Amino acid sequence: MAVSTAKAPSIPNGVIGANPENLKAPKVSYGVPTENIGTKRKIICFSDFDGTIFMQDTGHVLFDAHGCGAERRELLEQQIKSGERSFKDVSEEMWGSLKVPFDDGFDVMKQTLEIDRDFKQFHEFCINNDIPFNVISAGLKPVLRRVLDQFLGETLSSQIDIVANDAQISEDGSEWKPIWRHESELGHDKALSIAEYRDAASLESEDGTIPMIVFIGDGLSDLPAARHADVLFARKGLRLEEYCIEHKIAYIPFETFADIQREITKIMKKDEEKTHGKGMPTNYNPRANLWRRISSKNQIPKYIAQTPKEDRMFLWPETFSELKQMEALHAQ
């Protein structure tokens, strides 16, 4: 799966596509202009999905309604946190508990999911300013794509790249099986990741400028990304913001994507005044070179190799589980 860095075609200001009926899509406010602001710096956005673009977790909605149920799901999540079971093992049980056709399962998501009320406007802003927008998620790509298709329309949805696990879903809904990005026991081949990092040498985008990396998130799975972005946005009052405060990491709080759009506009204009799009971005963070290398090569971001050990449990709980199991064996 490739990470998008290509330019997207502009769309008329205010045209964001019609919503299908019965979808929980709060009315969009148009208080922030979405037209092209004419800056030269390449901006690349990476964003979490569940809890960031949408207020609910897509997997939780499905498991609670058509699978193992909320009580069992919460128990399984505790097993991951304690290290009793791996992320991959637990995830396969939760997805495997679903016994519902894909279309029928999506009915409950249409009734339950709520999109950030200003995301559509922000997406329009990204399109008009040639800002690639990439979703990074531990969920299933077919589910996330279907959600975006329904809430944004297929045309606008197609301009968002999704980096997530694929899935095999039988027609009758009797089998939901994640297809992991790697076929190792943990679903992640560290040696392959390191090799890919070695191959990713360039920090520059195709036109020779150094892109500014923006990451948007809300919770535990986004913690390592907090250290690997030039500009970090954390949803107010949630775990990512708490982590940034605890570890003195620079971040910008947001309540809706309108806040993000305003701040990015300010940052783009400031960078244009100071650099005219040349050299290092004004908000340059050396750790963000990881994302720059990935985006310049259109590779899937697998940054466990450069994630501090204390952060790995949050983005890579399967690895944390493995370490906990090893510690238990040594203690015997």
Side-chain angles (χ1 to χ4, degrees):
M1 286 173 281
V3 175
S4 171
T5 60
K7 290 186 177 181
S10 295
I11 60 176
N13 189 31
V15 178
I16 58 174
N19 285 326
E21 294 181 358
N22 301 323
L23 294 184
K24 278 192 174 182
K27 186 177 180 180
V28 178
S29 61
Y30 282 91
V32 185
T34 60
E35 68 270 9
N36 187 292
I37 61 177
T39 55
K40 300 181 183 67
R41 174 76 60 189
K42 183 79 169 182
I43 309 290
I44 301 174
C45 281
F46 295 89
S47 176
D48 178 44
F49 193 87
D50 298 319
T52 301
I53 298 174
F54 285 83
M55 301 301 101
Q56 298 79 20
D57 186 293
T58 50
H60 291 181
V61 171
L62 285 171
F63 304 147
D64 294 355
H66 296 293
C68 58
E71 184 176 351
R72 176 63 178 170
R73 171 179 59 78
E74 291 171 1
L75 174 62
L76 292 173
E77 290 174 344
Q78 286 301 318
Q79 291 177 349
I80 295 175
K81 293 177 183 177
S82 68
E84 180 181 347
R85 295 175 65 186
S86 72
F87 172 79
K88 181 178 179 181
D89 185 30
V90 167
S91 294
E92 288 182 342
E93 177 177 333
M94 288 194 287
W95 287 110
S97 72
L98 294 174
K99 305 298 179 186
V100 60
F102 184 79
D103 288 341
D104 293 346
F106 190 73
D107 287 341
V108 69
M109 288 193 284
K110 289 193 292 186
Q111 300 300 322
T112 306
L113 294 178
E114 181 180 356
I115 193 170
D116 181 288
R117 68 173 183 264
D118 293 310
F119 178 74
K120 294 179 183 180
Q121 174 180 318
F122 176 77
H123 184 41
E124 178 185 348
F125 168 78
C126 289
I127 292 172
N128 288 337
N129 284 275
D130 300 322
I131 299 175
F133 187 89
N134 303 276
V135 165
I136 308 294
S137 174
L140 299 188
K141 185 175 181 178
V143 174
L144 306 185
R145 177 60 69 194
R146 178 66 176 273
V147 170
L148 288 176
D149 286 349
Q150 291 291 330
F151 279 79
L152 297 179
E154 292 184 10
T155 300
L156 294 181
S157 169
S158 67
Q159 296 177 34
I160 296 176
D161 272 6
I162 299 175
V163 179
N165 298 304
D166 213 327
Q168 178 180 315
I169 304 171
S170 63
E171 187 174 349
D172 63 359
S174 62
E175 181 183 40
W176 290 61
K177 182 179 180 181
I179 299 176
W180 305 100
R181 294 197 298 263
H182 292 155
E183 292 302 322
S184 66
E185 181 179 351
L186 300 176
H188 182 95
D189 188 328
K190 299 176 188 177
L192 177 59
S193 293
I194 293 172
E196 288 170 344
Y197 283 129
R198 289 173 179 168
D199 290 339
S202 175
L203 302 185
E204 298 182 350
S205 59
E206 289 79 359
D207 61 1
T209 63
I210 298 176
M212 183 183 296
I213 304 300
V214 174
F215 191 91
I216 306 163
D218 72 297
L220 294 180
S221 64
D222 305 315
L223 297 185
R227 300 180 183 273
H228 294 283
D230 294 314
V231 181
L232 172 68
F233 289 94
R235 190 174 284 281
K236 284 185 178 180
L238 299 181
R239 186 65 187 100
L240 180 57
E241 181 180 40
E242 293 174 358
Y243 179 83
C244 291
I245 294 172
E246 291 168 5
H247 293 80
K248 296 180 173 58
I249 296 172
Y251 77 100
I252 301 173
F254 75 96
E255 292 184 346
T256 77
F257 272 79
D259 300 325
I260 297 173
Q261 184 180 328
R262 291 188 191 95
E263 292 300 322
I264 288 181
T265 298
K266 293 177 185 177
I267 291 168
M268 291 170 69
K269 290 181 177 179
K270 179 180 178 181
D271 181 82
E272 183 70 15
E273 291 174 0
K274 290 190 173 183
T275 72
H276 302 289
K278 299 178 180 179
M280 301 294 185
T282 53
N283 296 66
Y284 179 74
N285 174 10
R287 288 176 178 265
N289 288 344
L290 171 62
W291 296 96
R292 275 182 275 269
R293 292 185 182 111
I294 291 162
S295 63
S296 69
K297 292 288 185 177
N298 285 333
Q299 294 182 24
I300 298 171
K302 309 180 191 75
Y303 50 96
I304 187 171
Q306 296 186 16
T307 301
K309 290 182 179 179
E310 65 271 19
D311 295 339
R312 291 182 184 179
M313 64 169 288
F314 298 111
L315 186 64
W316 307 104
E318 66 272 33
T319 302
F320 176 72
S321 299
E322 178 191 47
L323 294 174
K324 294 286 286 187
Q325 291 164 2
M326 291 175 63
E327 290 172 359
L329 288 174
H330 288 307
Q332 292 178 354

